[in-house]
Amino acid sequence: MRLYTSILLLAIVVLSGCGASAPPAPAKKVAAPQQVVKPTDERRRFPSQNQVKMELVEQKMLGRDFLPGGNLAQYKRGNKAYQQFLIRAADANRAAILLLDLKNSLRDSKFIPHMGGVYGLDGDTPVYCFAKGVFLAGFIGLPEKEADPLAREFAARL
């Protein structure tokens, strides 16, 4: 009988140690520093007529913290100077989000249904922009009626 009691006592001790233990604390994720991805050179998509300068902006296109880098071209037609920009986003959804963010940063912005774009003012400077596929594109410094036909031509290049 003593043997059975010892075995039973040993079984109770062993089984009581097999209870559910608290799950281990999840490891804290350390945020990796964000790397700035160099933008793709898309100069081939820009019209060369009246182009004065082309540059690759590393980051913060148009001085906006939320915009990544891209291509920025300077144009001069007669006495009118304007800029044209192009940003390649990670995907079409990201391009649409960038368009919405840019719309929200412009004054008196309005939706342009036939382009799926936006026209508004940055200070006193007109901005016409649109998203097409993975691209966010636009014109700075032209009134809507002058920017619209150029935007249609540019969209055909994308």
Side-chain angles (χ1 to χ4, degrees):
M1 180 81 166
R2 192 168 185 189
L3 181 62
Y4 293 119
T5 307
S6 297
I7 293 175
L8 181 61
L9 187 57
L10 181 62
I12 291 173
V13 169
V14 169
L15 289 176
S16 66
C18 294
S21 61
K28 290 187 178 182
K29 293 183 181 179
V30 177
Q34 255 187 346
Q35 290 182 332
V36 175
V37 178
K38 186 173 181 179
T40 307
D41 188 353
E42 299 285 352
R43 72 180 64 230
R44 71 185 185 284
R45 298 183 185 276
F46 288 77
S48 59
Q49 186 178 6
N50 300 320
Q51 191 180 103
V52 176
K53 181 181 175 185
M54 170 65 75
E55 63 182 295
L56 190 62
V57 177
E58 295 286 326
Q59 57 186 342
K60 297 183 182 181
M61 179 66 81
L62 310 178
R64 302 273 195 313
D65 289 338
F66 60 86
L67 289 178
N71 294 87
L72 182 65
Q74 311 284 334
Y75 289 87
K76 185 159 179 134
R77 189 174 52 186
N79 63 353
K80 178 103 41 182
Y82 63 94
Q83 298 175 310
Q84 185 173 342
F85 69 90
L86 182 65
I87 297 169
R88 178 186 278 273
D91 56 40
N93 287 335
R94 184 69 187 136
I97 290 168
L98 290 174
L99 177 65
L100 182 61
D101 289 344
L102 187 54
K103 175 196 176 291
N104 290 336
S105 73
L106 298 174
R107 182 171 50 89
D108 300 330
S109 62
K110 68 176 189 172
F111 180 65
I112 304 166
H114 67 276
M115 284 297 288
V118 173
Y119 179 79
L121 297 172
D122 181 15
D124 291 331
T125 306
V127 177
Y128 184 113
C129 53
F130 62 94
K132 181 175 180 192
V134 297
F135 295 107
L136 174 66
F139 295 84
I140 302 153
L142 290 175
E144 181 181 359
K145 290 186 190 255
E146 291 179 38
D148 189 67
L150 295 174
R152 290 172 191 245
E153 289 174 23
F154 195 40
R157 294 172 174 261
L158 303 179

